[in-house]
Amino acid sequence: NLDTPKKNIFAGNAGTTMRFITSLASLSAGEVLITGDKRMQQRPISDLLDALKQLGVKSESSNGFPPVKVYGSSFNGGSAKIKGATSSQYLSSIMMCAPYAENDVEITIDGELASKPYVDVTLDVMKNFGVGVKNMGYKKFIINRARYKPTSYKVEGDASNASYFLAAAAVTKGRVKVTNINPDSMQGDIKFADLLGRMGCEVKKGRDFIEVKGSKLKSIDVDMNQMPDIVPTLAVTSVFADSTTVIRNVPNLRVKETDRISALAKELRKIGSNVEEMKDGLKIKRRRLQKAVIETYDDHRMAMSFAVAGLAISGIRIKNPGCVNKSFPQFWKRLEELYK
């Protein structure tokens, strides 16, 4: 068993941390309490807890929201059904810990699984460390008892973070080359470059780079279910396109660091865009672009996306710029380098 931490675990507003640690805590010797900031305590985790309960894990929560108390030494294994629509992280969380359950684990997905590329990344990393998972068409996953083996592993560049610099080229009609990135990565967000290609940009790919040259941007209609994290980047880029861009099938954006659909609609209107907020997405049409003070809602992706707008609209101010530290502490320094 893992050691039981002497203190409560504070996850801030990091959903990935909250979800992954919840399953990991079931492999500890004792009780583990995991909590987060005010927004985290509004983000649902009941689907994960319900699935873990079916596998023998005992836990307590605040009506399906953090804080969560997990009782260790309780991951018996067996069969569980989990809802697929809210977050693929629930599935990844269980799968990564499942090899250490008392028995084999079989997970059935209820409904359509969101963000499949992130599941592919999980499966690939597990395989690299010696644990195979049987994937039956993303409807059922079987994980046998096993042990991870140490290995040498190169961590890829982050495709989500690369998107802001590729978008910078698009909105300024400039040229940006991002290196240390794998164009054939399993990361779903790597396809953002292809979206920019559809919008009229010139896109070049090499073994470890993607280069984008901006041009007059065309609007697109796109299902973003498999790459929800770059919806803010695409939404801001869309403001500079010729007509109406439609972003659809991302209802889970409403339970991210903020309700990203609502937040994007509000802030895009500030910079001069006509925005129709849909239940599962946005319709964005350029109007007359203007300066504005942007609220970030303590959401790193809101800050970085609207920073891109600031490259093409004079007078954009970003509130609470430090929120980028969650995923990209060097962001502002890297962005400044575009001016050199």
Side-chain angles (χ1 to χ4, degrees):
N1 282 350
L2 298 170
D3 291 338
T4 304
K6 293 180 173 62
K7 297 180 180 178
N8 297 342
I9 294 174
F10 182 74
N13 195 13
T16 309
T17 302
M18 183 76 211
R19 292 156 184 167
F20 287 4
I21 292 289
T22 295
S23 293
L24 187 65
S26 69
L27 303 177
S28 71
E31 300 172 14
V32 181
L33 192 133
I34 312 136
T35 189
D37 63 12
K38 184 178 178 181
R39 173 59 183 170
M40 179 57 73
Q41 294 179 29
Q42 298 169 344
R43 298 177 70 179
I45 198 168
S46 58
D47 288 350
L48 175 58
L49 299 181
D50 289 345
L52 286 171
K53 183 179 179 181
Q54 295 169 56
L55 299 169
V57 178
K58 299 181 182 69
S59 68
E60 296 173 9
S61 70
S62 178
N63 294 318
F65 298 87
V68 173
K69 180 185 280 188
V70 179
Y71 294 86
S73 302
S74 60
F75 201 151
N76 297 331
S79 299
K81 182 178 282 191
I82 189 167
K83 292 178 183 175
T86 307
S87 175
S88 65
Q89 290 178 357
Y90 299 153
L91 173 62
S92 290
S93 173
I94 294 173
M95 286 199 305
M96 287 190 291
C97 297
Y100 289 80
E102 294 296 321
N103 300 285
D104 295 346
V105 173
E106 181 180 289
I107 307 169
T108 302
I109 306 302
D110 181 7
E112 187 67 21
L113 180 61
S115 308
K116 289 189 186 79
Y118 285 115
V119 175
D120 292 334
V121 171
T122 303
L123 297 175
D124 185 60
V125 172
M126 291 176 69
K127 183 179 178 182
N128 272 276
F129 285 88
V131 175
V133 176
K134 189 172 183 182
N135 174 7
M136 303 169 74
Y138 298 96
K139 293 295 183 184
K140 186 180 288 187
F141 297 83
I142 298 172
I143 310 100
N144 296 324
R145 292 188 72 224
R147 292 293 178 264
Y148 290 115
K149 300 180 181 71
T151 190
S152 241
Y153 185 82
K154 183 182 179 183
V155 177
E156 288 185 355
D158 189 316
S160 311
N161 286 348
S163 73
Y164 309 112
F165 300 93
L166 301 179
V171 306
T172 62
K173 296 185 174 64
R175 185 193 299 267
V176 173
K177 182 178 183 179
V178 178
T179 58
N180 190 34
I181 195 83
N182 174 14
D184 299 318
S185 171
M186 289 187 177
Q187 298 178 63
D189 292 357
I190 205 73
K191 292 183 171 59
F192 181 69
D194 298 331
L195 296 182
L196 292 180
R198 283 176 56 190
M199 295 179 82
C201 295
E202 183 183 318
V203 179
K204 291 182 182 177
K205 299 179 183 180
R207 189 173 60 84
D208 64 349
F209 75 85
I210 297 176
E211 183 177 272
V212 169
K213 182 182 179 184
S215 183
K216 185 176 180 184
L217 294 176
K218 298 177 290 187
S219 297
I220 56 174
D221 186 321
V222 59
D223 182 327
M224 294 293 284
N225 185 264
Q226 302 305 312
M227 38 182 166
D229 281 345
I230 53 169
V231 166
T233 325
L234 178 61
V236 169
T237 306
S238 300
V239 171
F240 300 89
D242 60 358
S243 185
T244 302
T245 289
V246 182
I247 296 170
R248 60 178 80 250
N249 199 19
V250 279
N252 55 340
L253 283 189
R254 294 197 181 275
V255 291
K256 294 285 187 178
E257 283 80 346
T258 184
D259 177 341
R260 281 188 183 150
I261 292 176
S262 177
L264 281 167
K266 186 175 180 182
E267 303 309 311
L268 288 169
R269 290 182 187 119
K270 283 185 186 177
I271 65 172
S273 184
N274 282 326
V275 184
E276 180 185 337
E277 183 180 335
M278 302 183 293
K279 188 176 180 181
D280 70 338
L282 296 162
K283 291 182 181 177
I284 302 160
K285 186 175 183 181
R286 179 178 185 164
R287 203 175 68 217
R288 184 174 60 83
L289 301 181
Q290 61 193 26
K291 67 181 182 179
V293 178
I294 302 300
E295 294 283 351
T296 53
Y297 308 87
D298 201 26
D299 184 339
H300 55 144
R301 301 208 184 280
M302 290 289 291
M304 292 187 281
S305 297
F306 279 90
V308 172
L311 297 174
I313 304 173
S314 179
I316 296 290
R317 289 179 53 212
I318 309 289
K319 283 191 174 182
N320 187 23
C323 65
V324 303
N325 290 339
K326 176 179 177 181
S327 63
F328 199 166
Q330 296 294 313
F331 174 75
W332 299 111
K333 183 180 178 183
R334 293 282 177 264
L335 191 69
E336 192 174 3
E337 290 172 1
L338 293 180
Y339 291 95
K340 295 178 182 176

